[in-house]
Amino acid sequence: MTSGTGQLRLLPWAGPEEPCYLAGDRAGYLSRLADNMESTQLGLAGELFHEAKQVLDNRQWTPGTSPAGSPVG
């Protein structure tokens, strides 16, 4: 996501429509809304990463099984 004076900023939400860009100086209401959304998304991604790591760290692999738990062969 690029930003700054005179540049377009790709907004941090996705949908079925075309990407949405914001032009501005990062000081307006929509810029603050986008900043808050990015912060929330990064926080949730961090939590998900931490939980996934815990699940994988606690998984015990045994000989003859794949990481998915199905027999190899």
Side-chain angles (χ1 to χ4, degrees):
M1 289 172 229
T2 62
S3 62
T5 304
Q7 294 184 338
L8 296 177
R9 175 183 182 178
L10 177 62
L11 294 176
W13 43 79
E17 4 9 89
E18 296 291 320
C20 186
Y21 295 91
L22 177 64
D25 60 2
R26 295 190 64 110
Y29 173 77
L30 290 178
S31 289
R32 290 191 305 274
L33 183 65
D35 289 343
N36 289 338
M37 178 62 72
E38 287 173 345
S39 178
T40 299
Q41 288 174 337
L42 289 172
L44 291 172
E47 290 176 23
L48 179 62
F49 179 79
H50 179 72
E51 290 179 22
K53 185 174 179 341
Q54 285 182 322
V55 168
L56 293 175
D57 286 347
N58 292 330
R59 177 78 188 246
Q60 296 183 9
W61 310 113
T62 59
T65 61
S66 69
S70 58
V72 175

